[in-house]
């Protein structure tokens, strides 16, 4: 009888496990399942953490907020936040909001916030407001990236010294053979407004100036013993390239940890293509709700 009952209990337990619907699974760089707590411990020991996101994935943004809250428990005032989603020339407006000088509505009017700001990025900014944390606008103003896509990096030499404060110091390091940039080069030229042709090289260099500028403002706002948590599209930090490459060029001693977020039809069997793409990889069902 005991053997029979044990078999029944085991069967029920197995059925319960097989019916679970986890919203995500977390893997290390070798695509071995790992725990959230193990990841958090390693992130807390880093100088810079990149959360590579899928811009339109709702669960992804919830995970960003949870990582932020939990890192704050570990680092307190030594946590610094920053994001691709805010451009460097909006830093003054951002600071005024964080100091309570202007309202949320004024911030949205004055800054170039993304279409999913309310649902996806405002919670992060408001967490910084509540806990008196610095929040850094790291991205290049889009009008300057557009200049590069049309006229190459040389176009930036025309800017005033005041305007150049919002971009990485020129000249910047360029390596078009890095896999991520080389892949962009393969995409070929595209047509801009008015039927003008934009070369693949200039499109890639526009990406490079974004990465270099984000690296520049991360370094300018990080100090020893701090942990800088940066939110960006995963393609800006995947495979330890992009922003990470530019940071390492400036300060090889930095301890950097990266997170990638991917979608999969079967989260228990993610694609081998994402192996080694980051230190930690969140795998989310591909039918997860999109924020836009």
């Amino acid at each position: 009888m005991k053997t029979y009952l044990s078999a029944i209990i085991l069967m029920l337990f197995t059925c319960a496990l097989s019916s679970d619907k986890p919203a995500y699974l977390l893997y290390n760089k070798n695509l071995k399942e790992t725990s959230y707590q193990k990841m958090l411990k390693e992130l807390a020991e880093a100088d810079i953490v990149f959360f590579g996101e899928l811009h339109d994935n709702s669960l992804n943004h919830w995970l960003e907020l949870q990582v932020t809250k939990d890192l704050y428990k570990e680092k307190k005032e030594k946590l610094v936040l920053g994001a691709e989603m805010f451009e460097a020339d909006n830093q003054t407006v951002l600071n005024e909001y964080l100091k309570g000088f202007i309202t949320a509505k004024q911030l949205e009017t004055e800054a170039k916030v993304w279409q999913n700001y309310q649902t996806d990025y405002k919670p992060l900014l408001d967490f910084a407001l509540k806990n008196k944390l610095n929040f850094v606008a790291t991205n290049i103003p889009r009008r300057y990236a557009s200049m590069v896509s049309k006229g190459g990096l040389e176009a930036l030499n025309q800017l005033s010294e005041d305007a150049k404060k919002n971009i990485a110091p020129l000249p910047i390091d360029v390596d078009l053979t890095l896999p991520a940039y080389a892949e962009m080069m393969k995409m070929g030229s595209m047509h801009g407004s008015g039927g003008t042709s934009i070369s693949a090289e200039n499109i890639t260099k526009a990406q490079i100036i974004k990465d270099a500028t984000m690296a520049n403002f991360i370094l300018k706002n990080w100090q020893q013993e701090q942990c800088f948590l940066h939110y960006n599209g995963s393609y800006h930090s995947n495979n330890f390239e992009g922003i990470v490459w530019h940071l390492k060029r400036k300060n090889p001693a930095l301890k950097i940890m990266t997170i990638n977020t991917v979608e999969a039809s079967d989260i228990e069997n993610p694609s081998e293509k994402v192996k080694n793409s980051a230190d930690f990889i969140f795998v989310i069902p591909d039918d997860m709700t999109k924020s836009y």
Side-chain angles (χ1 to χ4, degrees):
M1 179 62 73
K2 284 185 178 180
T3 303
Y4 178 73
L5 287 174
S6 296
I8 292 293
I9 292 170
L10 179 61
M11 182 181 70
L12 290 173
F13 180 70
T14 303
C15 288
L17 283 179
S18 64
S19 66
D20 279 352
K21 286 283 187 180
Y24 72 88
L25 288 177
L26 178 60
Y27 296 85
N28 64 19
K29 67 173 69 174
N30 298 313
L31 282 186
K32 303 297 183 184
E33 280 194 55
T34 189
S35 70
Y36 181 89
Q37 288 304 318
K38 177 174 171 52
M39 179 192 72
L40 189 65
K41 183 177 184 297
E42 293 197 39
L43 298 185
E45 295 171 354
D47 299 318
I48 316 289
V49 174
F50 289 96
F51 198 122
E53 68 168 40
L54 298 170
H55 294 318
D56 64 351
N57 188 290
S58 298
L59 179 59
N60 181 151
H61 293 294
W62 178 82
L63 286 167
E64 282 179 324
L65 184 59
Q66 302 317 303
V67 169
T68 304
K69 289 178 176 179
D70 292 331
L71 268 182
Y72 177 72
K73 291 175 185 176
E74 298 289 331
K75 306 299 292 189
K76 299 298 182 185
E77 72 281 353
K78 292 182 179 178
L79 181 64
V80 180
L81 308 180
E84 169 197 3
M85 300 81 197
F86 295 95
E87 297 170 24
D89 58 346
N90 287 146
Q91 187 65 60
T92 299
V93 177
L94 212 55
N95 290 345
E96 289 170 351
Y97 177 67
L98 293 172
K99 290 177 180 176
F101 298 164
I102 63 174
T103 65
K105 183 64 177 177
Q106 286 173 308
L107 170 70
E108 291 180 52
T109 301
E110 297 290 335
K112 300 181 286 289
V113 299
W114 288 20
Q115 61 179 321
N116 55 327
Y117 166 76
Q118 276 285 341
T119 55
D120 300 339
Y121 305 116
K122 189 175 186 297
L124 301 172
L125 193 58
D126 285 348
F127 185 83
L129 173 66
K130 177 182 176 182
N131 294 286
K132 297 180 171 56
L133 299 177
N134 288 338
F135 198 113
V136 184
T138 61
N139 209 352
I140 186 172
R142 65 192 72 177
R143 60 189 181 276
Y144 300 152
S146 178
M147 286 176 64
V148 174
S149 69
K150 295 171 184 174
L153 289 167
E154 299 79 11
L156 298 176
N157 293 326
Q158 306 170 63
L159 296 176
S160 68
E161 291 307 307
D162 191 51
K164 287 178 182 177
K165 292 176 183 177
N166 296 308
I167 63 176
L170 301 174
I172 64 168
D173 294 330
V174 174
D175 184 352
L176 295 174
T177 67
L178 286 173
Y181 298 147
E183 196 62 32
M184 288 191 73
M185 292 283 287
K186 292 178 185 177
M187 295 170 63
S189 61
M190 61 178 289
H191 293 291
S193 58
T196 57
S197 179
I198 302 176
S199 71
E201 182 172 334
N202 283 348
I203 293 170
T204 305
K205 286 180 176 177
Q207 176 83 346
I208 292 173
I209 190 62
K210 291 179 182 180
D211 291 338
T213 296
M214 286 188 271
N216 174 63
F217 285 110
I218 289 170
L219 270 183
K220 285 183 71 171
N221 290 278
W222 172 82
Q223 297 177 11
Q224 289 284 349
E225 299 186 3
Q226 288 184 331
C227 178
F228 194 121
L229 174 57
H230 191 262
Y231 317 104
N232 52 266
S234 58
Y235 46 84
H236 285 293
S237 53
N238 272 357
N239 304 308
F240 311 98
E241 295 180 21
I243 312 170
V244 181
W245 184 84
H246 287 279
L247 276 177
K248 285 292 191 179
R249 298 277 289 184
K250 300 296 183 183
N251 188 343
L254 284 171
K255 182 174 182 180
I256 299 172
M257 300 296 293
T258 62
I259 297 170
N260 184 16
T261 312
V262 300
E263 295 177 335
S265 57
D266 180 1
I267 63 175
E268 294 182 352
N269 293 288
S271 170
E272 284 290 317
K273 292 179 181 179
V274 303
K275 191 174 184 178
N276 293 313
S277 61
D279 293 297
F280 295 97
I281 304 165
F282 282 115
V283 182
I284 297 172
D286 60 10
D287 57 357
M288 178 56 62
T289 304
K290 300 297 187 287
S291 56
Y292 63 93

